[in-house]
Amino acid sequence: MNILEKIFQAGVVGAGGAGFPTHIKLKGVAEYLLINAVECEPLLETDKFLIRYKSHEIIETLGIIADQIQAKKVIIGVKKKNTREVQALTKAIETLNSRVELCFLNNFYPAGDEQVLVYELTQRQIPPGGIPKDVGVVVCNVGTVVNIYEALHEKPVTHKFVTVLGEVKNPSIIYAPIGTSLDKCIEAAGAATIQDYGIILGGPMMGRIIDKSQLSQEVVTKTTGAMILLPQDHFLFKNKQQDLAQMINRSRSACIQCSFCTDLCPRNLIGHPLRPHRIMRSLSVDRQQHEILKEALLCCECGVCQIYACPMGLSPKSINGEIKNLLGKEGIKYSNSPAQSEVHGMREYRKVPAERLLSRLDLHRYSGKIQEGYACIEAEEVKIPLRQHIGKTAMPIVEVGSVVEEGQLIAKVEEKDLGAKIHASIQGVIKEVNHEFIWIEAGEKVGMQ
């Protein structure tokens, strides 16, 4: 079995984003292999934890991946302020006599955006609407590389390291079986410290909001990176909980066309024709310019325009997201791109300092609180989603009443499909199988080792 087959059999997908199937990403050749070890969202600690504890495995695996795609250069992008992580990687590189290089980035947001990272590490501009392979680059997240290491040793993706922080007693890294309900993760972090809280699933800038009442239904997936508990009246919840009509009406009445959203847009600064202020104007007074709305397809939804730049508290990011969804439903993709612009001459001066962003978000009191080590969850039951990745939903191959072992294949896709296999994350009995998830109840022998 070759490397790509092992990765496919293990069900590896991108651990730090939308979950692109890794066996497909690593097909073909590329000049550069870049590793995103930046973890640019405020507060998050999972990737830094993995670097400290699994640096040897990461560096060893990068050599194997690089040979697979015939990469001439292998570069890890890491923030130079993360001295412990830099030391761990440096030691592993020296021990293994590896050709992996470290590239040190300043502490700005969003340094981990794929297209920003490619420019920072290679000085190559991905074309608007393009992907890293268009410029000879493959990008992987730290968590993905760790999962590839496990796959090469015949271990499928069954668990996830998750940062749980904010209004919890013991902010922690949690090691949870995939399919574990989020309320169990909060219990593992010592329980919530307040009654009236909301949850951001992911980072504070790009994460998804869920209500406290949804906790028992929401579960850990292959792409879950963090849970942040904040008081329900925190402005991040108010900012993210408007519908499209409300956002447009507020924009029509309050947008002053200052263009700060465009001036600080990370994609605009690397030369992409994305102008949030033009989109806002098109929605309010110039709705005939439909081509302007297509620029929203270039938006990475980092939130700089909405949470940091706009002096009126408007919602360019959320509006762009809604436009992308609407255009996607109509099958409209970004095309007819004008010639790529040069990187903006003021880009270095318009990068958003992460520390300033943390203050703007009113999150400083939660920073640096994660305890060393990690806590394991022994799940009594899991509900494993059949769709945890971009592409095709996995098809169940088990029936109610079947006994399964941890790591056993329970849902599959074909290797040619854009999708990933799903494995049991605990030993137990299948209680339910439907088109959304497989429910496993633990057997007597279940336990974390």
Side-chain angles (χ1 to χ4, degrees):
M1 191 182 299
N2 65 33
I3 294 169
L4 294 184
E5 288 173 340
K6 287 184 177 181
I7 292 171
F8 170 68
Q9 294 298 333
V12 181
V13 301
F20 193 89
T22 304
H23 69 283
I24 294 177
K25 176 179 279 193
L26 298 183
K27 286 181 178 178
V29 300
E31 184 179 353
Y32 282 87
L33 172 61
L34 305 183
I35 306 306
N36 182 354
V38 174
E39 199 158 41
C40 68
E41 278 263 25
L43 299 181
L44 304 195
E45 296 282 342
T46 306
D47 286 354
K48 292 194 283 289
F49 163 84
L50 290 174
I51 291 170
R52 293 196 302 273
Y53 281 81
K54 296 183 178 290
S55 56
H56 189 284
E57 292 91 331
I58 291 168
I59 298 303
E60 177 185 321
T61 305
L62 291 182
I64 298 171
I65 300 172
D67 290 343
Q68 171 65 34
I69 65 173
Q70 302 176 37
K72 297 177 182 178
K73 301 273 285 185
V74 187
I75 305 174
I76 299 176
V78 60
K79 289 184 178 178
K80 61 184 177 183
K81 78 176 186 68
N82 296 335
T83 54
R84 295 171 63 197
E85 291 72 28
V86 170
Q87 290 170 1
L89 290 169
T90 300
K91 183 178 179 180
I93 290 169
E94 292 173 351
T95 300
L96 294 170
N97 193 27
S98 172
R99 65 187 177 101
V100 173
E101 302 173 26
L102 300 183
C103 182
F104 304 115
L105 283 75
N106 292 324
N107 191 24
F108 70 93
Y109 177 83
D113 172 66
E114 188 172 69
Q115 307 217 8
V116 170
L117 188 73
V118 168
Y119 179 73
E120 289 286 330
L121 302 189
T122 70
Q123 299 299 294
R124 296 183 179 184
Q125 292 172 271
I126 298 173
I131 60 175
K133 274 194 174 179
D134 293 337
V135 292
V137 176
V138 166
V139 182
C140 287
N141 171 268
V142 166
T144 309
V145 176
V146 171
N147 286 338
I148 293 172
Y149 173 85
E150 300 285 1
L152 297 180
H153 292 79
E154 314 297 334
K155 185 180 185 304
V157 181
T158 59
H159 288 65
K160 192 72 167 68
F161 287 101
V162 181
T163 303
V164 182
L165 76 166
E167 294 292 346
V168 292
K169 291 179 182 177
N170 304 310
S172 308
I173 302 293
I174 305 298
Y175 188 59
I178 288 170
T180 301
S181 65
L182 298 188
D183 53 359
K184 297 298 182 184
C185 295
I186 295 174
E187 288 178 16
T193 57
I194 59 176
Q195 288 294 320
D196 193 16
Y197 63 84
I199 305 99
I200 298 177
L201 202 55
M205 294 293 284
M206 300 181 70
R208 176 170 64 92
I209 287 178
I210 62 172
D211 189 77
K212 183 179 177 181
S213 62
Q214 299 173 272
L215 275 176
S216 60
Q217 286 78 46
E218 293 278 350
V219 301
V220 173
T221 72
K222 294 180 182 182
T223 61
T224 303
M227 288 178 59
I228 305 174
L229 274 65
L230 297 175
Q232 189 63 57
D233 60 357
H234 195 281
F235 89 93
L236 280 174
F237 295 126
K238 297 176 182 177
N239 187 278
K240 292 173 181 266
Q241 290 176 328
Q242 303 177 62
D243 63 31
L244 181 59
Q246 288 175 316
M247 291 187 289
I248 291 176
N249 286 335
R250 291 190 67 237
S251 300
R252 287 174 179 169
S253 62
C255 181
I256 58 176
Q257 284 293 293
C258 64
S259 79
F260 288 168
C261 54
T262 296
D263 292 341
L264 294 181
C265 172
R267 290 292 177 89
N268 180 276
L269 290 171
I270 60 171
H272 288 194
L274 170 58
R275 297 162 293 180
H277 78 286
R278 292 286 302 275
I279 294 172
M280 299 290 276
R281 184 169 71 195
S282 181
L283 289 173
S284 58
V285 297
D286 196 12
R287 283 175 278 171
Q288 299 305 311
Q289 295 194 30
H290 299 299
E291 289 301 313
I292 294 295
L293 298 183
K294 291 183 182 180
E295 292 183 7
L297 294 169
L298 301 176
C299 178
C300 65
E301 299 183 53
C302 68
V304 166
C305 57
Q306 183 163 316
I307 297 175
Y308 189 84
C310 182
M312 306 304 290
L314 303 179
S315 308
K317 168 213 161 183
S318 298
I319 287 174
N320 283 351
E322 293 287 351
I323 293 172
K324 286 166 67 175
N325 288 335
L326 293 172
L327 294 178
K329 290 177 182 178
E330 295 178 13
I332 297 174
K333 299 181 179 180
Y334 190 81
S335 59
N336 301 320
S337 171
Q340 174 96 334
S341 300
E342 295 293 325
V343 171
H344 200 290
M346 294 293 289
R347 178 175 182 268
E348 287 299 315
Y349 306 98
R350 292 182 180 175
K351 291 178 178 176
V352 175
E355 282 297 311
R356 190 179 300 171
L357 179 62
L358 197 63
S359 296
R360 184 75 64 89
L361 295 170
D362 189 26
L363 294 176
H364 255 302
R365 62 185 179 276
Y366 305 117
S367 181
K369 304 295 185 182
I370 297 291
Q371 300 179 2
E372 196 59 43
Y374 63 98
C376 295
I377 291 179
E378 295 186 6
E380 297 176 356
E381 64 175 20
V382 292
K383 291 184 177 179
I384 303 177
L386 296 172
R387 185 182 178 88
Q388 302 179 46
H389 47 263
I390 286 176
K392 188 174 182 179
T393 301
M395 297 299 294
I397 59 170
V398 291
E399 298 177 348
V400 173
S402 302
V403 177
V404 294
E405 299 291 328
E406 180 184 323
Q408 180 178 329
L409 183 67
I410 58 175
K412 68 178 184 178
V413 295
E414 298 300 322
E415 190 168 0
K416 67 181 188 313
D417 295 330
L418 182 65
K421 294 188 172 185
I422 306 292
H423 302 79
S425 58
I426 62 173
Q427 178 195 32
V429 178
I430 304 294
K431 302 297 290 185
E432 183 179 348
V433 178
N434 59 40
H435 66 284
E436 293 184 352
F437 62 82
I438 296 174
W439 176 12
I440 305 174
E441 190 173 81
E444 294 180 0
K445 297 180 181 180
V446 168
M448 298 294 294
Q449 300 297 317

